[in-house]
Amino acid sequence: MPSWVDGAVVDQRVVEAAAALQEDYGGVTGWAGLGWLSPRWFDGTPWGGGPTRPVTLAVGGNRWTRQQKYFETSEERLAPGDLIVVDGLRITTPVRSVLFEMRYARNARDGAISLSMACYDDLVSIDEVAAYAATLNGWTGIPQAREALALACENAWSPREVAMSHVWMLDAELPQVRYNCPVFDLGGRHIGTPDLLDPVAGVYGQYDSALHLTGARRAIDLDRDERFLRHGLEGAIMLPGDVVDPTAFVRRLRAAYDRAAGRSSAGRHWTVEQPPWWIDTTTVAARRALDSTLRARLLAHRAA
Protein backbone atom coordinates (compact mmCIF):
# COMPACT_ATOMS: atom_id res chain seq x y z
CA MET A 1 0.00 0.00 0.00
CA PRO A 2 1.49 3.39 -0.95
CA SER A 3 2.49 5.49 2.07
CA TRP A 4 0.34 8.41 0.92
CA VAL A 5 -2.91 6.43 1.15
CA ASP A 6 -5.00 7.68 4.06
CA GLY A 7 -5.72 4.71 6.29
CA ALA A 8 -8.12 6.84 8.36
CA VAL A 9 -10.70 6.88 5.55
CA VAL A 10 -13.44 4.38 6.36
CA ASP A 11 -13.56 2.77 2.91
CA GLN A 12 -9.78 2.38 2.82
CA ARG A 13 -9.69 0.70 6.21
CA VAL A 14 -12.47 -1.69 5.22
CA VAL A 15 -10.83 -2.61 1.92
CA GLU A 16 -7.47 -3.27 3.55
CA ALA A 17 -9.04 -5.55 6.17
CA ALA A 18 -11.22 -7.35 3.63
CA ALA A 19 -8.14 -8.21 1.59
CA ALA A 20 -7.29 -10.75 4.31
CA LEU A 21 -10.53 -12.70 3.80
CA GLN A 22 -10.43 -16.12 2.24
CA GLU A 23 -11.42 -16.11 -1.41
CA ASP A 24 -14.62 -18.09 -0.98
CA TYR A 25 -16.03 -17.12 2.40
CA GLY A 26 -16.37 -14.55 5.16
CA GLY A 27 -17.24 -10.87 5.12
CA VAL A 28 -16.80 -7.54 6.84
CA THR A 29 -19.33 -7.09 9.65
CA GLY A 30 -20.30 -4.74 12.47
CA TRP A 31 -19.72 -1.01 12.13
CA ALA A 32 -17.40 -1.53 9.15
CA GLY A 33 -20.01 -3.47 7.17
CA LEU A 34 -22.50 -0.69 7.84
CA GLY A 35 -19.91 1.95 7.07
CA TRP A 36 -19.24 0.39 3.68
CA LEU A 37 -22.91 0.95 2.85
CA SER A 38 -23.28 4.34 4.51
CA PRO A 39 -20.24 5.92 6.17
CA ARG A 40 -22.05 9.00 7.56
CA TRP A 41 -22.36 7.63 11.09
CA PHE A 42 -20.31 4.42 11.08
CA ASP A 43 -16.65 5.39 11.08
CA GLY A 44 -15.41 3.12 13.87
CA THR A 45 -15.53 5.78 16.58
CA PRO A 46 -17.50 4.60 19.63
CA TRP A 47 -20.62 6.57 20.51
CA GLY A 48 -19.55 9.06 23.15
CA GLY A 49 -15.94 9.01 21.99
CA GLY A 50 -12.93 6.79 22.45
CA PRO A 51 -10.24 5.16 20.31
CA THR A 52 -11.19 4.00 16.83
CA ARG A 53 -12.15 0.32 16.82
CA PRO A 54 -10.73 -2.29 14.45
CA VAL A 55 -12.65 -3.70 11.50
CA THR A 56 -14.30 -7.04 12.31
CA LEU A 57 -14.23 -9.88 9.79
CA ALA A 58 -16.91 -12.57 10.14
CA VAL A 59 -15.19 -15.84 9.18
CA GLY A 60 -17.70 -18.41 10.42
CA GLY A 61 -16.25 -21.51 12.05
CA ASN A 62 -12.98 -21.20 10.16
CA ARG A 63 -9.95 -21.14 12.42
CA TRP A 64 -8.06 -17.93 11.74
CA THR A 65 -4.35 -17.36 11.97
CA ARG A 66 -3.75 -14.24 9.92
CA GLN A 67 -4.36 -11.65 12.66
CA GLN A 68 -3.33 -8.07 12.10
CA LYS A 69 -3.36 -4.94 14.22
CA TYR A 70 -6.23 -3.18 12.47
CA PHE A 71 -8.80 -5.96 12.23
CA GLU A 72 -10.22 -8.69 14.40
CA THR A 73 -12.28 -11.76 13.58
CA SER A 74 -15.56 -13.33 14.66
CA GLU A 75 -15.90 -17.11 14.36
CA GLU A 76 -19.61 -17.20 15.17
CA ARG A 77 -21.81 -19.27 12.90
CA LEU A 78 -22.14 -17.65 9.48
CA ALA A 79 -24.74 -18.83 6.99
CA PRO A 80 -24.26 -18.17 3.25
CA GLY A 81 -27.40 -16.05 3.32
CA ASP A 82 -25.71 -13.71 5.79
CA LEU A 83 -23.26 -12.53 3.11
CA ILE A 84 -23.76 -10.06 0.29
CA VAL A 85 -21.38 -8.45 -2.20
CA VAL A 86 -21.50 -4.67 -2.54
CA ASP A 87 -19.17 -2.89 -4.97
CA GLY A 88 -17.00 -5.98 -5.18
CA LEU A 89 -16.54 -6.41 -1.43
CA ARG A 90 -18.13 -9.11 0.76
CA ILE A 91 -19.96 -7.86 3.83
CA THR A 92 -22.57 -9.33 6.11
CA THR A 93 -26.16 -8.23 5.58
CA PRO A 94 -27.17 -4.99 7.30
CA VAL A 95 -29.33 -6.80 9.87
CA ARG A 96 -26.45 -9.12 10.70
CA SER A 97 -23.98 -6.23 10.91
CA VAL A 98 -26.11 -4.01 13.12
CA LEU A 99 -27.10 -6.88 15.40
CA PHE A 100 -23.38 -7.66 15.83
CA GLU A 101 -22.88 -4.05 16.92
CA MET A 102 -25.80 -4.24 19.33
CA ARG A 103 -24.67 -7.51 20.89
CA TYR A 104 -21.10 -6.34 21.49
CA ALA A 105 -21.82 -2.69 22.33
CA ARG A 106 -20.58 -1.24 25.61
CA ASN A 107 -24.19 -1.16 26.83
CA ALA A 108 -27.78 -1.27 25.59
CA ARG A 109 -27.88 2.49 25.06
CA ASP A 110 -24.95 2.34 22.63
CA GLY A 111 -26.60 -0.62 20.91
CA ALA A 112 -29.78 1.42 20.47
CA ILE A 113 -27.81 4.27 18.90
CA SER A 114 -26.24 1.85 16.40
CA LEU A 115 -29.64 0.50 15.40
CA SER A 116 -31.17 3.97 15.19
CA MET A 117 -28.39 5.23 12.93
CA ALA A 118 -28.73 2.18 10.67
CA CYS A 119 -32.42 3.05 10.44
CA TYR A 120 -31.45 6.65 9.58
CA ASP A 121 -30.17 5.44 6.22
CA ASP A 122 -32.96 2.85 5.89
CA LEU A 123 -30.43 0.01 5.90
CA VAL A 124 -32.69 -1.88 8.33
CA SER A 125 -35.98 -1.49 10.14
CA ILE A 126 -36.48 -2.24 13.81
CA ASP A 127 -38.90 -5.05 12.92
CA GLU A 128 -36.33 -6.64 10.60
CA VAL A 129 -33.65 -6.62 13.29
CA ALA A 130 -36.08 -7.94 15.92
CA ALA A 131 -37.06 -10.82 13.62
CA TYR A 132 -33.41 -11.72 12.98
CA ALA A 133 -32.57 -11.49 16.68
CA ALA A 134 -35.33 -14.01 17.39
CA THR A 135 -33.32 -16.59 15.40
CA LEU A 136 -30.20 -16.16 17.56
CA ASN A 137 -31.38 -17.36 20.96
CA GLY A 138 -28.39 -18.19 23.14
CA TRP A 139 -25.89 -16.08 21.18
CA THR A 140 -23.56 -13.77 23.03
CA GLY A 141 -25.16 -10.39 23.75
CA ILE A 142 -28.69 -11.22 22.62
CA PRO A 143 -30.27 -10.08 25.94
CA GLN A 144 -28.51 -6.73 25.57
CA ALA A 145 -29.59 -6.48 21.93
CA ARG A 146 -33.21 -7.06 22.89
CA GLU A 147 -32.92 -4.31 25.50
CA ALA A 148 -31.44 -2.03 22.84
CA LEU A 149 -34.32 -2.78 20.46
CA ALA A 150 -36.71 -1.21 22.96
CA LEU A 151 -34.56 1.94 23.18
CA ALA A 152 -34.08 2.52 19.44
CA CYS A 153 -36.10 4.52 16.95
CA GLU A 154 -36.40 4.85 13.17
CA ASN A 155 -36.51 8.64 12.93
CA ALA A 156 -33.49 9.97 14.83
CA TRP A 157 -31.32 12.28 12.77
CA SER A 158 -28.16 12.06 14.90
CA PRO A 159 -26.63 9.89 17.64
CA ARG A 160 -26.97 12.75 20.14
CA GLU A 161 -30.75 12.76 19.73
CA VAL A 162 -30.93 9.11 20.73
CA ALA A 163 -28.63 9.67 23.71
CA MET A 164 -30.76 12.66 24.75
CA SER A 165 -33.90 10.53 24.64
CA HIS A 166 -32.24 7.99 26.93
CA VAL A 167 -31.49 10.73 29.46
CA TRP A 168 -35.09 11.94 29.11
CA MET A 169 -36.79 8.58 29.60
CA LEU A 170 -34.30 6.59 31.68
CA ASP A 171 -32.40 9.12 33.80
CA ALA A 172 -35.12 11.74 34.27
CA GLU A 173 -37.82 9.01 34.26
CA LEU A 174 -40.13 11.14 32.13
CA PRO A 175 -42.64 9.90 29.53
CA GLN A 176 -41.74 8.40 26.16
CA VAL A 177 -40.96 10.90 23.42
CA ARG A 178 -41.29 11.13 19.66
CA TYR A 179 -38.31 11.88 17.45
CA ASN A 180 -38.34 14.68 14.88
CA CYS A 181 -42.09 14.89 14.98
CA PRO A 182 -43.34 17.76 12.78
CA VAL A 183 -45.45 20.31 14.62
CA PHE A 184 -48.15 22.40 12.94
CA ASP A 185 -50.29 25.35 13.93
CA LEU A 186 -54.03 24.88 14.04
CA GLY A 187 -54.27 26.09 10.45
CA GLY A 188 -52.04 23.26 9.21
CA ARG A 189 -48.86 25.33 8.72
CA HIS A 190 -45.58 23.69 9.71
CA ILE A 191 -43.99 25.62 12.57
CA GLY A 192 -41.03 23.35 13.30
CA THR A 193 -39.64 19.88 13.93
CA PRO A 194 -38.05 19.51 17.37
CA ASP A 195 -35.48 16.79 18.03
CA LEU A 196 -37.71 15.25 20.71
CA LEU A 197 -41.31 15.90 21.67
CA ASP A 198 -43.68 14.74 24.37
CA PRO A 199 -46.97 15.53 22.59
CA VAL A 200 -49.06 14.87 25.68
CA ALA A 201 -47.25 17.28 27.99
CA GLY A 202 -46.34 19.76 25.26
CA VAL A 203 -42.59 19.66 25.99
CA TYR A 204 -39.83 19.49 23.39
CA GLY A 205 -36.08 18.92 23.57
CA GLN A 206 -33.25 20.12 21.32
CA TYR A 207 -29.61 19.15 21.21
CA ASP A 208 -27.57 22.22 20.32
CA SER A 209 -23.97 21.39 19.41
CA ALA A 210 -21.25 24.02 19.14
CA LEU A 211 -22.43 24.62 15.56
CA HIS A 212 -25.75 25.89 16.95
CA LEU A 213 -24.31 28.36 19.43
CA THR A 214 -22.98 31.08 17.14
CA GLY A 215 -23.66 32.86 13.86
CA ALA A 216 -26.62 32.38 11.55
CA ARG A 217 -27.45 28.95 12.98
CA ARG A 218 -28.04 30.52 16.41
CA ALA A 219 -30.48 33.05 14.97
CA ILE A 220 -32.43 30.27 13.25
CA ASP A 221 -32.62 28.29 16.49
CA LEU A 222 -33.82 31.31 18.48
CA ASP A 223 -36.56 31.97 15.92
CA ARG A 224 -37.60 28.31 16.18
CA ASP A 225 -37.77 28.44 19.97
CA GLU A 226 -39.81 31.65 19.84
CA ARG A 227 -42.35 30.05 17.47
CA PHE A 228 -42.70 27.02 19.70
CA LEU A 229 -43.19 29.16 22.80
CA ARG A 230 -45.70 31.43 21.07
CA HIS A 231 -47.78 28.40 20.07
CA GLY A 232 -47.76 26.89 23.55
CA LEU A 233 -44.79 24.51 23.66
CA GLU A 234 -42.19 24.51 26.42
CA GLY A 235 -38.65 23.36 25.67
CA ALA A 236 -35.32 22.34 27.15
CA ILE A 237 -31.95 22.56 25.40
CA MET A 238 -29.21 19.96 25.81
CA LEU A 239 -25.69 21.32 25.36
CA PRO A 240 -22.43 19.49 24.60
CA GLY A 241 -21.36 19.72 28.24
CA ASP A 242 -24.54 17.88 29.29
CA VAL A 243 -23.39 14.74 27.47
CA VAL A 244 -20.86 13.86 30.17
CA ASP A 245 -23.04 15.00 33.06
CA PRO A 246 -26.73 15.37 32.17
CA THR A 247 -27.73 16.76 35.58
CA ALA A 248 -28.28 20.31 34.32
CA PHE A 249 -30.28 19.12 31.32
CA VAL A 250 -32.52 16.99 33.54
CA ARG A 251 -33.14 20.05 35.71
CA ARG A 252 -34.03 22.19 32.68
CA LEU A 253 -36.24 19.43 31.35
CA ARG A 254 -38.21 19.03 34.57
CA ALA A 255 -38.62 22.81 34.74
CA ALA A 256 -40.09 22.71 31.21
CA TYR A 257 -42.59 20.08 32.35
CA ASP A 258 -43.56 22.27 35.29
CA ARG A 259 -44.14 25.26 33.01
CA ALA A 260 -46.13 23.15 30.57
CA ALA A 261 -48.32 21.83 33.38
CA GLY A 262 -49.15 25.40 34.34
CA ARG A 263 -50.45 26.25 30.89
CA SER A 264 -54.17 26.08 30.19
CA SER A 265 -55.45 23.97 27.30
CA ALA A 266 -56.67 27.19 25.69
CA GLY A 267 -53.04 28.23 25.18
CA ARG A 268 -52.23 25.17 23.09
CA HIS A 269 -52.10 26.43 19.49
CA TRP A 270 -50.26 23.51 17.93
CA THR A 271 -50.91 19.96 16.80
CA VAL A 272 -48.98 16.92 15.58
CA GLU A 273 -51.82 15.87 13.28
CA GLN A 274 -50.36 15.99 9.79
CA PRO A 275 -52.32 17.98 7.18
CA PRO A 276 -53.28 16.22 3.92
CA TRP A 277 -50.48 17.86 1.95
CA TRP A 278 -47.74 16.58 4.29
CA ILE A 279 -45.70 13.52 3.22
CA ASP A 280 -44.73 11.42 6.22
CA THR A 281 -41.06 10.32 6.46
CA THR A 282 -40.90 9.22 10.08
CA THR A 283 -40.50 5.47 9.48
CA VAL A 284 -38.15 3.32 7.45
CA ALA A 285 -41.10 1.93 5.50
CA ALA A 286 -42.33 5.42 4.59
CA ARG A 287 -38.88 6.53 3.41
CA ARG A 288 -38.26 3.36 1.41
CA ALA A 289 -41.51 4.04 -0.45
CA LEU A 290 -40.23 7.39 -1.73
CA ASP A 291 -38.86 7.67 -5.24
CA SER A 292 -35.40 9.19 -5.75
CA THR A 293 -36.77 12.66 -6.46
CA LEU A 294 -38.84 12.78 -3.30
CA ARG A 295 -35.97 11.35 -1.23
CA ALA A 296 -33.69 14.13 -2.44
CA ARG A 297 -36.30 16.79 -1.68
CA LEU A 298 -37.72 15.53 1.59
CA LEU A 299 -34.68 14.05 3.35
CA ALA A 300 -31.85 16.44 2.50
CA HIS A 301 -32.63 18.64 5.51
CA ARG A 302 -31.70 15.82 7.90
CA ALA A 303 -28.03 16.04 6.95
CA ALA A 304 -28.10 19.80 7.54
Side-chain angles (χ1 to χ4, degrees):
M1 185 63 61
S3 60
W4 51 263
V5 173
D6 186 0
V9 177
V10 172
D11 285 355
Q12 184 62 37
R13 292 174 58 201
V14 173
V15 168
E16 290 181 23
L21 286 167
Q22 296 182 7
E23 293 184 4
D24 58 345
Y25 210 61
V28 177
T29 195
W31 72 263
L34 298 167
W36 183 251
L37 295 169
S38 179
R40 175 169 177 78
W41 300 119
F42 296 97
D43 63 358
T45 304
W47 309 122
T52 301
R53 296 175 297 152
V55 173
T56 300
L57 303 179
V59 298
N62 298 325
R63 303 308 301 175
W64 195 265
T65 58
R66 295 158 59 188
Q67 298 287 353
Q68 292 187 16
K69 179 180 179 181
Y70 297 108
F71 71 77
E72 59 188 19
T73 60
S74 166
E75 297 179 4
E76 293 176 317
R77 186 174 74 244
L78 183 66
D82 289 333
L83 294 169
I84 57 176
V85 177
V86 177
D87 295 332
L89 188 138
R90 280 200 315 275
I91 62 175
T92 57
T93 61
V95 290
R96 168 82 180 220
S97 292
V98 75
L99 195 53
F100 183 91
E101 283 292 288
M102 295 162 68
R103 292 190 294 117
Y104 289 100
R106 292 181 295 190
N107 51 55
R109 295 191 189 195
D110 277 7
I113 295 175
S114 293
L115 175 52
S116 300
M117 292 301 95
C119 289
Y120 171 92
D121 282 310
D122 306 325
L123 301 178
V124 299
S125 70
I126 290 177
D127 285 346
E128 289 167 350
V129 175
Y132 188 79
T135 70
L136 302 183
N137 291 328
W139 283 45
T140 299
I142 281 295
Q144 175 173 282
R146 290 185 177 131
E147 185 180 350
L149 278 162
L151 298 175
C153 79
E154 293 190 350
N155 197 41
W157 295 354
S158 75
R160 289 294 190 222
E161 291 177 2
V162 188
M164 179 168 59
S165 78
H166 295 160
V167 172
W168 188 310
M169 295 183 289
L170 301 179
D171 298 333
E173 298 181 328
L174 291 167
Q176 189 168 0
V177 292
R178 296 172 65 173
Y179 294 76
N180 295 295
C181 175
V183 178
F184 306 89
D185 66 18
L186 300 183
R189 290 178 290 273
H190 181 231
I191 60 174
T193 302
D195 292 343
L196 302 177
L197 175 69
D198 178 346
V200 176
V203 174
Y204 72 91
Q206 289 286 150
Y207 178 76
D208 284 359
S209 66
L211 177 68
H212 290 252
L213 301 181
T214 59
R217 179 70 251 183
R218 188 59 185 156
I220 293 172
D221 290 346
L222 289 174
D223 287 344
R224 170 208 65 202
D225 293 341
E226 188 277 330
R227 286 195 307 274
F228 286 155
L229 183 62
R230 176 160 39 89
H231 285 84
L233 283 165
E234 295 289 347
I237 306 300
M238 189 177 201
L239 301 171
D242 299 324
V243 174
V244 176
D245 180 2
T247 304
F249 172 67
V250 171
R251 184 177 63 249
R252 291 192 292 270
L253 186 56
R254 287 179 173 152
Y257 269 86
D258 289 342
R259 294 193 302 271
R263 283 181 173 270
S264 68
S265 58
R268 187 165 173 149
H269 304 296
W270 59 273
T271 180
V272 294
E273 182 176 347
Q274 298 178 0
W277 57 269
W278 187 264
I279 300 175
D280 180 60
T281 60
T282 58
T283 66
V284 171
R287 293 190 294 270
R288 285 174 174 172
L290 300 173
D291 61 32
S292 59
T293 301
L294 281 176
R295 284 189 68 87
R297 180 164 68 86
L298 298 178
L299 303 182
H301 63 282
R302 300 189 307 165

